[in-house]
Amino acid sequence: MRELDVSLITQAVKELVIQANKILPQDLVDCVSCAQKTEKGVSAKAILGDMQANIDAAKELDIPICQDTGMAVIFAEIGQDVHLIGGAFEDAVNRGVSLGYTDGLLRKSVVRDPFYDRVNTNDNTPAVIHTRIVEGDKIKLTAAPKGFGSENMSALRMFTPSAKREDIIGFVVDTVKKAGSNPCPPVVVGVGIGGDFEYCALLAKKALCRPVSQRNGIDFYKDMERELLEKINALDIGPQGFGGNTTALAVNIETYPTHIAGLPVAVNMGCHVTRHAQREI
């Protein structure tokens, strides 16, 4: 059994939320750069160039890539041989988020009640925390700040098992089409298939944390990712909605077993700065 003080979790979360908001994963940076080179539309090509310049400037000047620094989403894989000491795990995570957004001068966008009393909490807490118990004596933390320009364009549908491949593809493509320019395209599209009502949405969110250069390991879903990307990029929405053949940078599908009577599908939209950073402690 390994003892781990929760202060280490606080420090890691603080650093991760700052890092995620200022430095994009390299594979996503490369994807934007590649899209800029292959884009055929004149305006779209210029916009992608501006996006690349913005990404570079944020890293060089040590400032956020986007003014919407998101609601903090934290994924934690906790080794079953870790004994946490010094306080509660979720309190430690939220302290890290608070310190990261305050000391990192990141915009604080969380309100304490969703409907009747939308008063800002002034430190971007509480975070949305997803925990999973795994083997080992380490803790893997992933910070995925989520802006709501893209989050608001997400969708979920409870299909029946009679749904065909083209039905699911149509739903995903239609979700992107309806979103238009709202999620700041080119987008990264996370798709969750299976589980139940809430778990397919979690799968879609997790899909956005997968490298855009990594395809699904099952050929059936790898082919779906490829076809979806082609159909989405044929919509002519383009960068920031000005047209072009780069509406999406990637489509990532994650799946899970489901009930014999159901086929849940969720689409979680990510903007061109689909941010995440990861660390193991």
Side-chain angles (χ1 to χ4, degrees):
M1 183 69 69
R2 175 192 176 211
E3 284 196 345
L4 191 149
D5 195 288
V6 296
S7 63
L8 295 176
I9 294 171
T10 294
Q11 184 63 26
V13 170
K14 172 187 174 179
E15 293 171 2
L16 284 171
V17 295
I18 294 173
Q19 176 187 336
N21 270 297
K22 294 181 177 181
I23 303 173
L24 278 190
Q26 189 58 46
D27 64 319
L28 189 56
V29 175
D30 293 342
C31 200
V32 173
S33 178
C34 181
Q36 198 271 337
K37 293 172 183 174
T38 58
E39 173 61 54
K40 297 176 182 177
V42 176
S43 295
K45 196 175 187 72
I47 292 167
L48 286 165
D50 290 340
M51 289 177 175
Q52 182 68 58
N54 178 67
I55 291 168
D56 294 341
K59 186 176 182 180
E60 180 181 346
L61 300 173
D62 192 33
I63 57 176
I65 304 165
C66 177
Q67 52 84 24
D68 184 353
T69 52
M71 187 171 191
V73 180
I74 308 295
F75 292 95
E77 294 185 6
I78 303 173
Q80 62 188 12
D81 296 325
V82 176
H83 176 217
L84 296 174
I85 61 173
F89 171 78
E90 291 199 359
D91 290 344
V93 170
N94 280 315
R95 277 197 300 274
V97 170
S98 177
L99 288 170
Y101 276 78
T102 301
D103 295 352
L105 302 178
L106 306 177
R107 196 184 84 181
K108 306 171 185 73
S109 303
V110 173
V111 293
R112 68 187 183 188
D113 182 89
F115 194 42
Y116 87 92
D117 180 9
R118 294 179 65 88
V119 176
N120 200 297
T121 63
N122 292 319
D123 66 354
N124 224 56
T125 66
V128 175
I129 305 172
H130 302 290
T131 59
R132 181 169 170 252
I133 305 300
V134 298
E135 292 183 352
D137 63 356
K138 302 286 196 303
I139 294 179
K140 184 163 73 174
L141 298 167
T142 302
K146 195 63 168 68
F148 268 53
S150 58
E151 191 76 352
N152 286 340
M153 296 296 105
S154 302
L156 187 153
R157 182 176 296 179
M158 300 299 290
F159 286 93
T160 65
S162 63
K164 296 178 174 58
R165 185 177 187 273
E166 53 265 32
D167 296 326
I168 294 175
I169 287 176
F171 168 59
V172 177
V173 173
D174 190 52
T175 298
V176 178
K177 184 178 181 179
K178 288 179 179 177
S181 63
N182 290 304
C184 289
V187 293
V188 178
V189 184
V191 181
I193 304 174
D196 59 1
F197 178 82
E198 82 277 4
Y199 200 71
C200 70
L202 178 58
L203 289 170
K205 180 62 62 67
K206 288 175 68 176
L208 292 181
C209 295
R210 198 177 86 201
V212 294
S213 56
Q214 180 183 321
R215 301 278 48 84
N216 191 288
I218 299 173
D219 286 343
F220 178 86
Y221 295 112
K222 183 193 297 184
D223 289 342
M224 279 188 71
E225 290 174 338
R226 176 192 53 77
E227 183 175 346
L228 279 165
L229 185 60
E230 289 177 357
K231 289 183 180 296
I232 289 168
N233 282 333
L235 293 173
D236 195 36
I237 295 171
Q240 298 298 297
F242 286 96
N245 55 279
T246 315
T247 296
L249 298 170
V251 178
N252 291 351
I253 297 175
E254 293 292 324
T255 65
Y256 194 80
T258 192
H259 191 276
I260 56 173
L263 181 54
V265 180
V267 179
N268 196 204
M269 302 288 287
C271 66
H272 69 281
V273 287
T274 297
R275 298 157 289 187
H276 50 275
Q278 192 175 94
R279 181 179 302 178
E280 187 176 82
I281 56 177

